[in-house]
Amino acid sequence: MPMIMDQDLDDLFGESAALSLPPSPPIRGLRQRVDELRTNGCSQKVAWSKNGCIAYITSDGRSVRLANLRCGPANGVWEQDSHADSLLAGHILRIYKGRELAHLSWNSTGLELLVADVYGRLSIFSTSLVSINRVAAAKVWITDPEDNLNTLVGMTWLNVERAISLSRPVVRSGDRWVHAVTHYKSKGPYNPSGKAALLTITRSGFVRLLYQSQDGQWQDVRQEFYSVSTSLALLTHATLCPHEDDAILLLVYTSNKQLRLYRITIQWPQTNLGGQLPSGASLPSLTIRHLKEVNDCFPMTVDNDHHSSFLLTPPSDAYLSHLELLPRGPELPALSNGFHSPELREESFTVVSRWELRNEESTLHSSFDILASKRSGSSSSTDLKREATLKRLDDVHNDRVLIHIQQLSLSSILAMAYSDGSIEFRDRVTLLCLPDDESEAISSLGQSGFGFSDTQSCLHVALSPNSCAKVSFAAEHEPKLEVMQPVRNHGNYPEDNCKHISTTSFALKLTHRPAFLERATIAFAMQSSLACMSSNNNDDLLMALQAFLRQMESGNSHLDQNIPLIVEQKFLYELYRALGVNLDQAFDTQPDKILRHQMIQKCFSIQAALGFKGRNGNRDIP
């Protein structure tokens, strides 16, 4: 029979110290992905448009596929449509002839898709709202030579002149929740024709303006702003953002670890009375002014207590993987963030180097005022023109490898995705994770106890239009879809906390207990109303809400079966309130005027989708 030993097994060989397992090795393909990030600032392989269309480069790097969310007609369950668009794949094969693709990006309206190969040769595809899974080739710049110096290191789409909605935190006032939304005008410059336009930056220091004229034809203008003298001075990363006076700030990073800041202004040709470019107008011109440069841009400090790899690697050997320029927003300064990663070893981590952009007044010494007053008898102004400065801020260390960063809520929030599958939402100024608290203010689903629970390692990530779903994939794998779910332990909705809720007075009874259901419902309503005002596709929100309701039904058998229905009704009640939609009016007087109301149409669409349970299912809400 086996012997039973009472002594501690750690003392069996005279060793009392606990054994620690070595860290797991990096996932397959991570080394190659980090190498792509440090050598090329434009290497985004998956993008999710504002209209809900997912575009991704296939695992072999030779084609692009599209995917959308759909509500299954049989059971009403939201899922990813796996039918690929063969027409787009045919366009890509015909244009690039099997060459490796490097980057893709949707514009702000979600109607144009940019595709670039490893040599910086571009193609733009157009789609429409009535045919979201079909695209057509709009313009191709494939005649450029296959030269590594033409590789894209940065790009940005110009904004379209429109109002942007920003939701303020929803706060409680007595038994009701108060929704507040602030509207801002998008920052210029804009294409006078009202159509798409973008700027691209090449490795050799050229900026290129591509714009669509009034007749739908694409034009381009190219200008050199930086002269490359040696291979150590090549550009590796570039980032752009709108600035004051309809200008654009350009920040580039070179191989010799130097940051260079530029200001770009676009002089468009004279427009007609309608404010549009006439046919046959002259080409626009670019004015590029160098503002500032900073040398030795690498991590300042080393956290040796947590990252022993830095003991063998000096900070100057860290590689830049991401470069982000955050525009000046309402009550927010302009910031620049550089995300550094060392060479991958057993331990992997990321260091964020930060700068704050300031415009400081340059003044002369006060003695010049005295001298001027003696000569002329009047004091003269000693103020000179404002000078741009970059103030270095403290570094921020993280013990994971950053693979993607996305700006949210007018760039006030940064979504940071890591190779282990986790996603963090951080404040842009402090870079602290947004708190998950029980306060009386609700600002997002993430602040209300929701998050991404799947921690499967990945190499590429993109967030949905409303940041409540993500699509990710690793090497040689198909994209995987996940929606936000409750990640904090809020209890199992005990029966004594829910038994008093009935369907007769849902608007009041749900606002007492349980608190988590209330906060979750308000958060869904707040983000859905913001999606309606911003003309964002809301399929991801409906998918996340449906998953939440099904989770309640399947995981809590003792829960009153009326609770999911009450949550749906409360969600619609708050959605109508947040959008200011009032249906308490005579329908027979002006039915066309009521139904033409844009917000009423969106509310009816959400209500219809929420109540759909399949062809043979019964609707639980009207």
Side-chain angles (χ1 to χ4, degrees), residues 112 124 126 137-141 157 191-198 209-221 268-269 277-284:
E112 276 81 25
I124 295 179
S126 298
K139 179 63 178 179
V140 176
W141 289 270
W157 291 91
N191 185 348
S193 65
K195 296 184 178 294
L198 68 150
L209 171 66
L210 304 98
Y211 66 97
Q212 194 174 18
S213 58
Q214 186 62 33
D215 57 3
Q217 299 298 316
W218 282 87
Q219 307 289 336
D220 67 301
V221 177
W268 297 95
L277 294 176
S279 301
S282 59
L283 297 177

Side-chain angles (χ1 to χ4, degrees), residues 64 144 295 309 323 332 421 531 566:
V64 177
D144 295 338
N295 297 317
S309 294
L323 184 65
L332 294 173
I566 298 173

Side-chain angles (χ1 to χ4, degrees), residues 450-470:
F450 282 74
F452 297 102
S453 58
D454 185 14
T455 57
Q456 183 177 356
S457 300
C458 59
L459 301 176
H460 308 278
V461 181
L463 289 177
S464 64
N466 303 292
S467 307
C468 63
K470 73 170 183 177

Side-chain angles (χ1 to χ4, degrees), residues 338-585:
F339 301 84
H340 299 269
S341 297
E343 183 180 357
L344 285 181
R345 299 176 179 173
E346 289 77 10
E347 298 180 58
S348 304
F349 51 92
T350 300
V351 181
V352 183
S353 301
R354 303 182 296 159
W355 288 264
E356 180 182 351
L357 175 61
R358 294 182 176 182
N359 290 326
E360 297 182 349
E361 298 285 350
S362 300
T363 57
L364 294 174
H365 193 271
S366 58
S367 300
F368 287 90
D369 282 339
I370 300 176
L371 180 62
S373 61
K374 287 182 178 181
R375 290 183 175 179
S376 61
S378 61
S379 62
S380 62
S381 173
T382 60
D383 291 340
L384 301 178
K385 63 180 182 179
R386 302 173 69 184
E387 180 182 0
T389 61
L390 289 172
K391 179 186 176 182
R392 186 70 182 262
L393 305 178
D394 293 336
D395 292 347
V396 177
H397 295 257
N398 197 301
D399 58 358
R400 287 165 291 178
V401 177
L402 181 74
I403 59 172
H404 179 67
I405 184 167
Q406 196 164 325
Q407 301 180 23
L408 309 175
S409 301
L410 290 180
S411 301
S412 61
I413 298 174
L414 298 181
M416 300 172 62
Y418 302 95
S419 60
D420 61 358
S422 60
I423 293 182
E424 293 178 341
F425 297 92
R426 293 176 175 257
D427 180 81
R428 63 169 275 169
V429 177
T430 63
L431 278 187
L432 296 177
C433 291
L434 298 183
D436 177 12
D437 52 33
E438 299 286 350
S439 63
E440 292 299 310
I442 300 175
S443 59
S444 65
L445 280 173
Q447 184 254 346
S448 303
F450 282 74
F452 297 102
S453 58
D454 185 14
T455 57
Q456 183 177 356
S457 300
C458 59
L459 301 176
H460 308 278
V461 181
L463 289 177
S464 64
N466 303 292
S467 307
C468 63
K470 73 170 183 177
V471 59
S472 61
F473 59 93
E476 302 178 0
H477 288 82
E478 290 297 318
K480 180 180 179 181
L481 184 66
E482 183 194 359
V483 296
M484 274 190 169
Q485 297 178 359
V487 293
R488 184 155 49 89
N489 185 15
H490 302 274
N492 290 323
Y493 318 110
E495 188 173 0
D496 56 352
N497 285 346
C498 299
K499 62 183 180 182
H500 67 283
I501 303 180
S502 64
T503 57
T504 56
S505 57
F506 69 91
L508 294 178
K509 296 200 179 239
L510 190 57
T511 58
H512 295 288
R513 278 194 177 272
F516 172 65
L517 286 180
E518 177 187 14
R519 293 176 59 83
T521 306
I522 299 301
F524 273 112
M526 181 205 70
Q527 292 203 209
S528 297
S529 63
L530 182 62
C532 292
M533 287 181 283
S534 304
S535 299
N536 282 357
N537 181 278
N538 52 27
D539 292 347
D540 56 334
L541 280 165
L542 290 172
M543 185 176 185
L545 179 57
Q546 183 186 77
F548 174 54
L549 296 174
R550 288 177 175 268
Q551 185 182 32
M552 280 196 300
E553 295 173 352
S554 60
N556 298 274
S557 57
H558 60 278
L559 184 67
D560 187 347
Q561 295 302 312
N562 290 325
I563 299 301
L565 175 60
I566 298 173
V567 171
E568 291 180 350
Q569 294 174 329
K570 175 64 175 177
F571 163 77
L572 292 173
Y573 173 77
E574 291 292 338
L575 176 64
Y576 278 81
R577 285 188 59 246
L579 294 175
V581 175
N582 180 20
L583 296 180
D584 188 13
Q585 47 188 307

